[in-house]
Amino acid sequence: MIRRTIVIVTVAAWLDASAIVAGAQEARSGNPILAGWYADPEAHVFEGRYWIFPTYSAPYGQQTFLDAFSSRDLVTWTKHPRVLDTANVAWARRAVWAPSIIQKDDWYYLFFGANDIQSDREIGGIGVARSRTPTGPFIDHLGKPLIDKFHNGAQPIDQFVFRDKDGAYYIIYGGWRHCNIARLNDTFTGFIPFADGSTFKEITPAGYVEGAFMLLKDDKYYFMWSEGGWTGPNYAVAYAVGTTPFGPFERVGKILQQDSTVATGAGHHSVLHVPGSSKWYIVYHRRPLGETDRNHRGVSIDELRFDARGLIEPVVLTKTGVRTDSLPPTLDRRR
C-alpha cells in the first residue's frame, strides 16, 4: 500500500510538471501585442531584447511623442514611455510618426516624421534624434529636419534606414505615392551624392503608396511597402525583389491584407529576424472588425515565411499571435 501511494504521488507530480512545461511551450503573444492604440511599428533586436518603436495612434495634434516597447520572448512586453518627445525637438509640433531606428557607433539614431507638411513652404519633414540607449531620451541631432522638401514628388514621411552589406547606410522614404532612396553620410547629418551628382533617387514601384521597408536575404533585396488607403479596410503590404537597393525591382504582389474574420486595414509593417535563426516575423498594425475610428489601430505580430524559391508566402492573420521565442544570451552584448 505504501509503495502504491508513493507511485501515485510520483506520477501525479510528473503529470503536473509536464502540464507546466507544455503550458510554457504553448505561451503565445496574442494579437494585438501592445496595450493601447499604436501603428507603424518598427521592430529590432537590441542588447538581448526585442524592441518595437511604433506611432502613437491619435489625432495629429496629440502625436507629440513616441513610446517604445521591449520584450525577452515576444509574449510579455514592457512599455518605455516618451523615448522621444517634442520637448527635445524644437521644430516638431504635431504628427510625430513612423519611427525608424538604427544602432551605429554606440549611439541609437531615431528617425521620425513630424508636422505632416504639405508643401516646401512649411516647417517639418523627416528628423533624426539620438540616444546612448534604446530607452532614450532621444535628443534632436540636427536642430532642424534632415529632409524638409518634396524631392521627386515624395512627401518627406515614412522613412526606413537600411544598412547595406558593404556598410553603407541609406534612407528610403516617401508618401504621396513616391519613394526615394538617399545615401546617408557617416554622421547622419546629411547625404553623400551618387556618382551622377544626384542625392535623391526615385525607386517607386507599381502600387506604392507609403510605408517603405527593405530587407536583404540571400543576396536579394526585398523592397516592401503599403498600398491602399490607411484609413480603410483595403490597406495592405506588397513587395518587389531586386539585386541592388536601387532596383530595378520586379513586383511580386501582396503578402499582407485584411481577413474579414480577424481584422481589417493590415499594413505599415516591419520584419523581425533573430540573427542565426530561421524564424522571421512580420510586425504590423491592423484595425478591429467593425471599428470606425481611423485612429483605432493595434500592433500585431505573425510569422513570415519564405518558400523554396525565396518568395514570401501570404501572411496568415491570427488572433493568437506567435509562440514565445526567447533570445539567446549571446545577443546581450552591443554590436
Side-chain angles (χ1 to χ4, degrees):
M1 178 64 72
I2 293 176
R3 289 182 180 177
R4 184 181 179 186
T5 302
I6 293 174
V7 170
I8 291 173
V9 171
T10 303
V11 170
W14 178 83
L15 289 173
D16 287 343
S18 298
I20 292 171
V21 172
Q25 291 175 339
E26 290 301 315
R28 301 188 72 99
S29 65
N31 275 326
I33 56 175
L34 307 181
W37 293 11
Y38 291 95
D40 316 328
E42 185 170 293
H44 288 273
V45 174
F46 293 137
E47 301 179 23
R49 299 184 73 89
Y50 297 105
W51 287 85
I52 294 177
F53 292 78
T55 298
Y56 172 58
S57 190
Y60 291 178
Q62 298 175 27
Q63 292 177 321
T64 59
F65 62 89
L66 295 172
D67 296 328
F69 297 81
S70 68
S71 174
R72 285 281 187 180
D73 58 8
L74 295 180
V75 172
T76 302
W77 292 89
T78 300
K79 180 178 177 179
H80 306 273
R82 294 181 181 264
V83 296
L84 176 77
D85 194 295
T86 53
N88 293 320
V89 186
W91 56 269
R93 59 183 179 82
R94 65 193 286 270
V96 175
W97 57 33
S100 182
I101 186 169
I102 198 161
Q103 181 185 353
K104 182 178 185 294
D105 300 333
D106 292 325
W107 287 95
Y108 290 90
Y109 292 86
L110 183 63
F111 295 75
F112 58 95
N115 299 353
D116 186 34
I117 63 172
Q118 304 294 299
S119 73
D120 290 347
R121 298 184 299 276
E122 300 174 59
I123 297 174
I126 295 172
V128 56
R130 69 176 186 172
S131 169
R132 290 292 188 182
T133 70
T135 57
F138 284 86
I139 308 299
D140 190 9
H141 186 41
L142 303 177
K144 62 180 181 179
L146 175 68
I147 305 174
D148 62 354
K149 299 290 188 294
F150 283 67
H151 302 284
N152 303 318
Q155 185 188 25
I157 62 168
D158 285 8
Q159 61 292 320
F160 174 67
V161 178
F162 173 73
R163 184 180 187 274
D164 203 0
K165 56 187 176 182
D166 63 358
Y169 291 86
Y170 297 96
I171 187 168
I172 305 163
Y173 75 94
W176 290 14
R177 300 181 182 274
H178 291 277
C179 186
N180 290 330
I181 185 171
R183 181 173 176 179
L184 290 159
N185 65 19
D186 191 55
T187 56
F188 294 167
T189 56
F191 303 97
I192 299 173
F194 296 113
D196 62 2
S198 66
T199 299
F200 300 94
K201 286 188 177 296
E202 184 165 7
I203 56 171
T204 309
Y208 177 91
V209 173
E210 60 191 14
F213 186 87
M214 186 174 288
L215 67 89
L216 176 62
K217 180 179 183 293
D218 300 329
D219 290 325
K220 294 179 181 178
Y221 291 83
Y222 294 78
F223 180 24
M224 311 173 80
W225 64 89
S226 293
E227 54 189 47
W230 75 269
T231 61
N234 65 330
Y235 206 44
V237 171
Y239 82 104
V241 177
T243 56
T244 77
F246 314 100
F249 293 101
E250 181 179 352
R251 180 186 171 101
V252 180
K254 295 180 182 180
I255 52 96
L256 177 74
Q257 52 192 319
Q258 66 172 326
D259 181 330
S260 61
T261 66
V262 179
T264 64
H268 204 130
H269 77 299
S270 61
V271 174
L272 182 61
H273 177 238
V274 181
S277 80
S278 60
K279 282 291 189 70
W280 294 78
Y281 303 99
I282 185 167
V283 184
Y284 62 98
H285 74 241
R286 66 194 200 190
R287 300 180 186 281
L289 295 176
E291 180 55 64
T292 58
D293 188 327
R294 72 178 193 168
N295 293 309
H296 191 173
R297 297 175 288 177
V299 172
S300 297
I301 183 171
D302 282 301
E303 290 193 41
L304 188 75
R305 296 184 175 92
F306 297 82
D307 68 17
R309 299 172 297 167
L311 299 178
I312 301 174
E313 297 179 358
V315 177
V316 177
L317 271 63
T318 70
K319 297 178 181 179
T320 54
V322 298
R323 289 184 173 87
T324 183
D325 190 352
S326 298
L327 288 168
T330 54
L331 291 178
D332 280 339
R333 62 179 181 273
R334 279 195 175 199
R335 290 184 297 166

